[in-house]
Amino acid sequence: MSDFDPAAVTPEELEKLARRADEAMATLVQAMNGLEEVTGEGTSAGGKIRAAVESDGLLREIRLDPRLLRTMGSDELAEAVVAAVRAAQLSARGQLEERLAAAEGGVRPSFDIRDVGRGLDAIQSAFLSSLPPR
């Protein structure tokens, strides 16, 4: 059972909460404005394979040193390309997390949807347990 009592919340507390929510949203909107400019870059095979991705993780560019085609087999080349793309995606993700963390006062956001779901479930449970029985 939670100690939260919706009836005990004063109008002043609600106003304060609304102001804090507005401030948080403004900060988040400001942080999100530059996110589409983020690009991630990654390399593999000693820098002979380079990949770049957009902020959403979609591949923008891939460059191969032509000499690789003579020195690597197709399977090895494919693995190296995947490694470069993954490195680029991780770079973009890290940059996005850093920008959002800066907007949130240094707290890195969780991109794990299960964590978000568990948090929402906990909020819902606390709220429902605070309601009077029917």
Side-chain angles (χ1 to χ4, degrees), residues 16 22 58 82 86 96 99 111 115 125 128 131 133-134:
K16 182 179 176 181
D22 287 343
L58 293 177
V82 168
R86 284 189 179 151
L96 292 171
R99 287 185 183 209
F111 285 104
D115 289 342
S125 294
L128 291 175
L131 296 175
R134 289 186 171 179

Side-chain angles (χ1 to χ4, degrees), residues 69-90:
L69 302 175
R70 291 185 296 247
T71 61
M72 287 184 144
S74 61
D75 289 342
E76 186 180 7
L77 180 61
E79 289 175 10
V81 168
V82 168
V85 171
R86 284 189 179 151
Q89 291 169 327
L90 289 172

Side-chain angles (χ1 to χ4, degrees), residues 2 11 21-22 28 34 43 46 50 58-59 65 77 79 88 94 97 126 132:
S2 173
D22 287 343
L28 187 57
T43 63
R50 297 184 178 278
L58 293 177
L59 187 62
D65 183 321
L77 180 61
E79 289 175 10
E97 288 177 353

